[in-house]
């Protein structure tokens, strides 16, 4: 008589797991019945403990079967098919793990490549462990070519040499810390880049320049063009051909401000002449479903903007992502409650908001030659204005009824987020 070898707990578990903890004779499952592991070919007949000869059986079926071999091979075929599937899954898993391993190796190679490029320009300085981790994060966020170009820009702008012609350690650290900000600036939409460039011209040319007020004035001009149904491409072209030359020609802040405000008012008056609804041409009312879609699109834009600001915020001192995001939604709740005010008054609310304070540049850096931090601050201010303006419904062409519905939808979604 064949000697029965006891089954290990691991083998028993593998059989139960393969058979989904279900008796393969009667179909009952745990915990309704007590499950055993049964030998298809009984041990008394020489049956082994190989998985293909094992099957999940409830106590009653196992006792009833005893040492009798099943007359048909249905269960055996089923077991063989299950084993084939298990083997196929294992092979696929091995392929996936190999693929994942090759991806990890490729990511490591990219970090090494960019690190070597940095080191070749910084000799004898190299990146420490924290520097490599920072570089790895940059590679996940930006294209390699942008990072390499940003390294070149940072080195040209920030490297300082001592009397012996050697690079100073402090300037190397500063240059590396600027790479992420330069990448962020390079990846701005073209319209945003052009606006940042205009404000940079004014800041460098004028003896007096107010970053926030300048941003408000330029944003009002761009928003007026958008209100006149100009595309971003057309507005960018206008900034290039009209605003930039006039910014260079302007002698001071006052002259530039008065010119941009005049142009903005001209556009608004032109817009009103064309789009002001008559008594017989009142704003169209939308269906509830359409308003829900509009509301969802606004929140999608807001979330994208918040993610951008989170990344930029890392270069500002004491920036905390969670506190910042909480502040954004707090300001949004306040914004949606505001009714019946002009865009100019709404802008004042924006620039008094708590969220703006997270991107304030210290006064001692106002005269920084390159001004990257200041440019990022201005971009952040613009982005915050765009986010909060999503809920300035009175500046839109919605009917009063639609504005009320949008406010209710917005408040409900903001409460769910909070």
């Amino acid at each position: 008589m064949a000697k029965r070898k006891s089954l290990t707990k691991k083998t028993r578990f593998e059989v139960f797991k393969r058979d989904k903890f279900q008796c393969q004779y009667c179909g009952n499952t745990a915990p309704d019945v007590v499950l055993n592991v049964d030998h298809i070919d009984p041990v008394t007949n020489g049956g082994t403990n190989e998985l293909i000869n094992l099957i999940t059986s409830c106590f009653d079926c196992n006792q009833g079967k005893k040492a009798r071999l099943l007359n048909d091979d249905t269960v055996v075929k089923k077991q063989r098919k299950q084993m084939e599937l298990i083997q196929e899954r294992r092979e696929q898993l091995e392929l996936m793990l190999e693929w994942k391993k090759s991806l990890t190796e490729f990511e490591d190679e990219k970090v090494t490549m960019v690190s070597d490029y940095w080191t070749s320009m910084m000799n004898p300085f190299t990146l420490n462990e924290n520097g490599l981790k920072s570089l790895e994060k940059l590679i996940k966020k930006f294209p390699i070519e942008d990072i390499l170009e940003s390294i070149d820009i940072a080195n040209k702008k920030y490297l300082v040499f001592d009397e012996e012609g050697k690079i100073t350690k402090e300037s190397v650290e500063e240059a590396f810390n600027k790479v992420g900000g330069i990448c962020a600036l390079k990846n701005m939409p073209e319209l945003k880049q052009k606006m940042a460039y205009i404000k940079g011209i004014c800041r460098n040319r004028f003896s007096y320049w107010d970053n926030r007020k300048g941003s408000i004035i330029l944003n009002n001009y761009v928003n007026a063009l958008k209100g006149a149904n100009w595309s971003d491409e057309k507005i960018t072209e206008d900034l290039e051909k009209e605003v930039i030359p006039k910014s260079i020609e302007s002698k001071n802040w006052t002259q530039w401000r008065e010119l941009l405000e005049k142009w903005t008012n001209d556009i608004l008056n032109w817009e009103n002449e064309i789009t002001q609804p008559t008594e017989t041409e009142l704003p169209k009312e939308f269906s509830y479903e359409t308003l829900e879609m509009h509301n969802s699109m606004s929140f999608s834009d807001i979330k994208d903007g918040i993610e951008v600001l989170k990344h930029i915020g890392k270069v500002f001192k004491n920036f905390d992502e969670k506190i910042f995001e909480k502040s954004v939604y707090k300001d949004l709740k306040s914004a949606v409650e505001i009714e019946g005010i002009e865009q100019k008054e709404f802008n004042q609310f924006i620039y008094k908001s708590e969220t703006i304070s997270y991107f304030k540049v210290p006064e001692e850096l106002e005269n920084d030659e390159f001004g990257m931090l200041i440019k990022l601050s201005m971009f952040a201010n613009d982005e915050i204005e765009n986010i909060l303006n999503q809920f300035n419904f009175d500046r839109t062409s919605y009917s009063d009824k639609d504005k009320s519905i949008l406010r209710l939808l917005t408040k409900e979604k903001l409460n769910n987020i909070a």
Side-chain angles (χ1 to χ4, degrees):
M1 178 182 289
K3 185 177 180 181
R4 178 184 293 271
K5 293 182 179 179
S6 61
L7 297 175
T8 65
K9 289 183 178 180
K10 181 179 179 182
T11 301
R12 288 168 57 81
F13 178 71
E14 287 296 326
V15 175
F16 289 155
K17 184 171 64 173
R18 182 197 64 198
D19 294 339
K20 299 180 181 178
F21 292 86
Q22 183 178 46
C23 175
Q24 299 299 297
Y25 298 107
C26 67
N28 287 326
T29 58
D32 297 333
V33 294
V34 176
L35 297 178
N36 299 144
V37 174
D38 186 23
H39 290 77
I40 297 172
D41 186 9
V43 175
T44 53
N45 293 346
T48 66
N49 285 348
E50 294 180 1
L51 284 178
I52 199 168
N53 189 49
L54 301 176
I55 190 172
T56 300
S57 169
C58 68
F59 179 81
D60 290 341
C61 289
N62 192 26
Q63 291 300 308
K65 174 179 174 293
K66 294 186 178 177
R68 288 181 286 109
L69 186 65
L70 294 177
N71 291 328
D72 64 67
D73 63 354
T74 302
V75 174
V76 175
K77 288 181 178 179
K78 183 176 181 180
Q79 291 292 300
R80 184 177 293 111
K81 181 65 175 177
Q82 287 177 332
M83 290 301 295
E84 290 172 356
L85 288 173
I86 289 173
Q87 181 61 27
E88 184 177 348
R89 288 171 184 166
R90 284 176 177 169
E91 290 174 359
Q92 289 178 3
L93 180 59
E94 289 174 359
L95 290 173
M96 289 178 65
L97 291 174
E98 190 65 29
W99 172 71
K100 181 66 176 176
K101 182 179 178 182
S102 65
L103 281 181
T104 302
E105 291 174 351
F106 179 63
E107 291 300 318
D108 292 341
E109 288 175 5
K110 288 196 290 186
V111 173
T112 302
M113 180 191 72
V114 178
S115 174
D116 289 346
Y117 181 72
W118 173 266
T119 303
S120 68
M121 306 179 74
M122 296 294 143
N123 188 46
F125 298 101
T126 59
L127 292 175
N128 58 22
E129 186 176 349
N130 289 334
L132 291 173
K133 288 181 179 179
S134 297
L135 196 58
E136 187 177 355
K137 290 179 181 179
L138 285 177
I139 289 172
K140 290 179 180 179
K141 290 180 177 292
F142 303 110
I144 291 288
E145 56 270 22
D146 284 357
I147 297 173
L148 296 177
E149 188 176 345
S150 297
I151 288 174
D152 292 339
I153 294 172
N155 291 343
K156 289 178 182 178
K157 294 292 183 180
Y158 293 102
L159 286 188
V160 176
F161 297 84
D162 60 21
E163 294 178 354
E164 298 178 359
K166 296 180 180 179
I167 304 171
T168 64
K169 181 181 178 181
E170 294 76 13
S171 68
V172 170
E173 292 175 349
E174 183 179 15
F176 183 76
N177 290 334
K178 297 293 184 181
V179 172
I182 297 171
C183 285
L185 191 63
K186 284 177 62 62
N187 282 270
M188 287 182 191
E190 188 177 1
L191 176 58
K192 294 288 186 183
Q193 289 189 36
K194 200 67 68 176
M195 293 171 70
Y197 179 64
I198 291 169
K199 287 179 280 190
I201 291 173
C202 296
R203 180 180 58 81
N204 291 326
R205 286 182 55 80
F206 305 153
S207 59
Y208 170 81
W209 171 255
D210 187 307
N211 287 332
R212 293 185 179 182
K213 289 181 181 178
S215 294
I216 291 174
I217 291 168
L218 188 56
N219 276 319
N220 285 346
Y221 176 72
V222 170
N223 287 334
L225 291 175
K226 287 183 177 180
N229 295 321
W230 282 36
S231 65
D232 283 2
E233 291 77 12
K234 190 175 180 180
I235 295 173
T236 301
E237 184 181 356
D238 177 83
L239 296 181
E240 178 69 37
K241 293 183 177 179
E242 300 294 337
V243 180
I244 289 178
K246 289 298 182 182
S247 298
I248 295 173
E249 292 175 11
S250 297
K251 296 180 180 179
N252 51 49
W253 154 266
T254 302
Q255 187 177 354
W256 181 86
R257 174 179 57 80
E258 290 177 350
L259 177 64
L260 266 293
E261 287 179 344
K262 179 181 181 303
W263 283 357
T264 302
N265 288 330
D266 289 344
I267 295 168
L268 292 174
N269 290 333
W270 170 63
E271 177 190 354
N272 289 335
E273 291 174 4
I274 295 176
T275 62
Q276 188 68 33
T278 63
E279 292 183 1
T280 57
E281 188 186 354
L282 295 174
K284 176 185 176 181
E285 290 188 355
F286 295 93
S287 67
Y288 185 82
E289 290 75 16
T290 300
L291 292 173
E292 278 189 317
M293 181 186 68
H294 289 187
N295 187 254
S296 295
M297 290 171 64
S298 293
F299 270 93
S300 178
D301 290 342
I302 286 169
K303 289 179 180 178
D304 289 342
I306 290 174
E307 289 305 311
V308 171
L309 290 168
K310 282 182 181 178
H311 179 70
I312 292 176
K314 293 177 182 178
V315 302
F316 288 83
K317 190 176 181 181
N318 300 325
F319 183 85
D320 185 295
E321 286 188 8
K322 292 183 179 179
I323 296 176
F324 164 72
E325 188 167 2
K326 185 177 180 181
S327 174
V328 172
Y329 285 109
K330 177 183 176 183
D331 282 339
L332 285 171
K333 285 185 176 182
S334 298
V336 79
E337 295 290 348
I338 299 175
E339 297 184 43
I341 67 170
E342 296 295 329
Q343 182 68 37
K344 184 177 181 180
E345 294 171 306
F346 194 86
N347 284 338
Q348 295 305 315
F349 156 75
I350 291 173
Y351 283 95
K352 290 179 181 178
S353 69
E354 180 181 337
T355 308
I356 291 287
S357 64
Y358 292 95
F359 299 93
K360 183 174 177 58
V361 180
E363 292 182 1
E364 60 267 24
L365 297 180
E366 287 288 343
N367 294 320
D368 176 58
E369 180 183 354
F370 188 54
M372 180 58 63
L373 196 61
I374 295 173
K375 289 184 179 181
L376 288 174
S377 172
M378 291 190 292
F379 172 73
N381 290 346
D382 292 345
E383 193 64 42
I384 291 168
E385 179 177 355
N386 290 335
I387 288 173
L388 297 180
N389 263 319
Q390 294 283 341
F391 297 153
N392 184 13
F393 299 122
D394 289 308
R395 183 68 179 84
T396 66
S397 58
Y398 290 110
S399 69
D400 290 341
K401 177 183 176 183
D402 287 348
K403 291 175 186 176
S404 298
I405 294 174
L406 282 169
R407 281 195 169 89
L408 289 173
L409 288 169
T410 303
K411 290 177 183 177
E412 182 179 356
K413 190 165 290 188
L414 284 171
N415 288 332
N416 289 337
I417 292 174

